[in-house]
């Protein structure tokens, strides 16, 4: 759902489509925290830490895509003033 939200935003520039992206990030963090607490003394915690780092990297990459699309829109609007 998060990836679909980013794709939709990139295609349409509709900010409202990013709501599932933001919600998904919050839901992931809540679920991860619950799992980390449940597995505090378990070796599975190392795997969860790895998963958390991967999700942070993925989300950062998606935020970069979103920022790039927003800049593209801003640049297009700025250029339109000179047309």
């Amino acid at each position: 759902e998060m990836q679909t939200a980013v794709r939709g935003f990139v295609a349409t520039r509709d900010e409202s489509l990013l709501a599932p992206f933001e919600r998904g990030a919050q839901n992931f963090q809540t679920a991860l925290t619950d799992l980390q607490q449940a597995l505090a003394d378990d070796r599975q915690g190392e795997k969860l830490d790895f998963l958390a780092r991967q999700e942070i990297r993925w989300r950062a990459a998606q935020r970069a895509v979103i920022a790039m699309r927003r800049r593209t829109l801003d640049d297009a609007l700025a250029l339109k003033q000179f047309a």
Side-chain angles (χ1 to χ4, degrees), residues 27-75:
N27 292 342
F28 178 85
Q29 189 56 50
T30 299
L32 182 66
T33 300
D34 291 346
L35 282 170
Q36 286 171 327
Q37 290 173 352
L39 301 172
D41 297 327
D42 193 312
R43 291 185 58 174
Q44 296 297 324
E46 292 174 20
K47 292 179 182 178
L48 287 175
D49 290 341
F50 173 78
L51 179 64
R53 287 191 303 274
Q54 292 300 100
E55 192 274 340
I56 289 168
R57 286 185 189 119
W58 179 84
R59 196 166 8 108
Q62 299 309 303
R63 288 195 188 281
V65 168
I66 292 166
M68 188 181 334
R69 185 59 168 148
R70 285 178 176 148
R71 260 192 323 274
T72 302
L73 175 60
D74 292 343
D75 291 347

